[in-house]
Amino acid sequence: MSKAPVLILGARSDIAKAVAHKFASLGHPLQLAARDAATLEADRADLALRYNVSVTLHEFDALRTETHDTFVGSLPELPMIAICAVGLLGEQETSEGDSASACRVVRSNYEGPASILASLANSFEQRRSGTLVGISSVAGERGRATNYVYGSAKAGFTAFLSGLRNRLARNGVHVVTVLPGFVSTRMTEGMDLPARLTAEPDEVAEAIAGAVQYKKNIIYVRPVWKLVMFIIRSIPERIFKGMKI
């Protein structure tokens, strides 16, 4: 029996590439979507040869939200699983002084991902099956001075995924929220990250595959983050606002 196709949005990132390898290793055909998708040809060929699965490339720009419905309609086959790995960390200090930069961070982490998942949700709902996976962030659980532009966008995306899950549950569509915590990728290169709290892209991919298989709703890639964020959320605001974190 052939496996269901998997669409990976933002297929250029380290996490997305790990996810592609994981699902291809399980026998799923892949649809890799990204800007300048043709530049992923080497990745496409490697995945197809290594795992003997069909891999196709699709041009996709998360920020061109007006194209998202057309993009979904243009896919050769509606996927059964869609994973959104679109995101942009940005620089907090830059965002504070440059509204265009702040807007790009917000659009890349909230507006774009929410828009494409909304388009897919409508098609999945009509079919009454499928799984949507959104990679959000623990940064969205409480705003901090060091990354509140990024964190606020992820907070919005987490809330969007929660509402989407509530809406679609009765119609056979499952929605997964992924909260990775720190991940060792090109996006975090040069940052001093605590080893116990920092996952590798392959760990994220394994966690996502497990969440899809066992229909989990919200996952912390490393369980320690659930405790860490519980503590951070529990700090009274009068204390929290004076902390340097």
Side-chain angles (χ1 to χ4, degrees):
M1 182 176 179
S2 61
K3 294 290 185 76
V6 176
L7 169 65
I8 301 176
L9 299 152
R12 194 180 310 282
S13 75
D14 292 337
I15 291 176
K17 289 183 178 183
V19 168
H21 278 273
K22 178 60 184 178
F23 279 92
S25 74
L26 296 173
H28 291 273
L30 302 177
Q31 299 167 344
L32 305 181
R35 286 179 298 172
D36 301 319
T39 60
L40 293 173
E41 172 57 28
D43 296 282
R44 186 209 65 76
D46 176 57
L47 288 161
L49 181 63
R50 187 187 302 243
Y51 302 109
N52 192 29
V53 296
S54 170
V55 184
T56 54
L57 300 178
H58 305 274
E59 190 64 27
F60 169 71
D61 189 337
L63 300 188
R64 295 186 62 202
T65 55
E66 72 279 4
T67 68
H68 289 178
D69 287 343
T70 301
F71 167 80
V72 173
S74 71
L75 292 171
E77 181 180 2
L78 186 65
M80 187 59 67
I81 302 165
I83 301 164
C84 185
V86 174
L88 175 67
L89 183 59
E91 294 284 346
Q92 176 62 34
E93 289 187 5
T94 301
S95 292
E96 289 173 16
D98 180 358
S99 60
S101 175
C103 183
R104 186 171 182 83
V105 170
V106 171
R107 295 192 67 213
S108 298
N109 291 293
Y110 174 64
E111 182 186 358
S115 173
I116 186 58
L117 290 186
S119 293
L120 287 161
N122 291 336
S123 296
F124 281 29
E125 185 176 37
Q126 186 174 18
R127 186 180 58 191
R128 300 186 68 82
S129 64
T131 300
L132 297 170
V133 179
I135 300 178
S136 191
S137 173
V138 297
E141 297 197 43
R142 192 161 194 179
R144 298 185 296 120
T146 54
N147 71 347
Y148 65 83
V149 174
Y150 172 81
S152 64
K154 287 298 190 182
F157 189 45
T158 295
F160 175 85
L161 292 168
S162 177
L164 200 62
R165 182 163 45 247
N166 183 242
R167 165 193 158 193
L168 298 176
R170 63 184 68 90
N171 293 312
V173 180
H174 181 219
V175 178
V176 182
T177 302
V178 181
L179 303 170
F182 299 133
V183 184
S184 180
T185 65
R186 286 170 295 174
M187 192 165 73
T188 59
E189 190 174 2
M191 296 174 63
D192 185 18
L193 304 178
R196 190 182 175 201
L197 299 178
T198 305
E200 294 296 325
D202 287 347
E203 289 181 66
V204 182
E206 288 284 346
I208 289 173
V212 171
Q213 179 180 0
Y214 296 108
K215 294 191 177 299
K216 296 180 180 180
N217 298 313
I218 303 169
I219 60 167
Y220 293 84
V221 172
R222 289 202 168 182
V224 66
W225 275 106
K226 190 171 186 178
L227 174 60
V228 170
M229 296 316 299
F230 172 78
I231 293 170
I232 289 176
R233 290 193 307 270
S234 299
I235 301 171
E237 189 66 20
R238 68 180 184 277
I239 299 172
F240 185 80
K241 68 181 182 181
M243 297 174 67
K244 294 183 179 180
I245 60 172

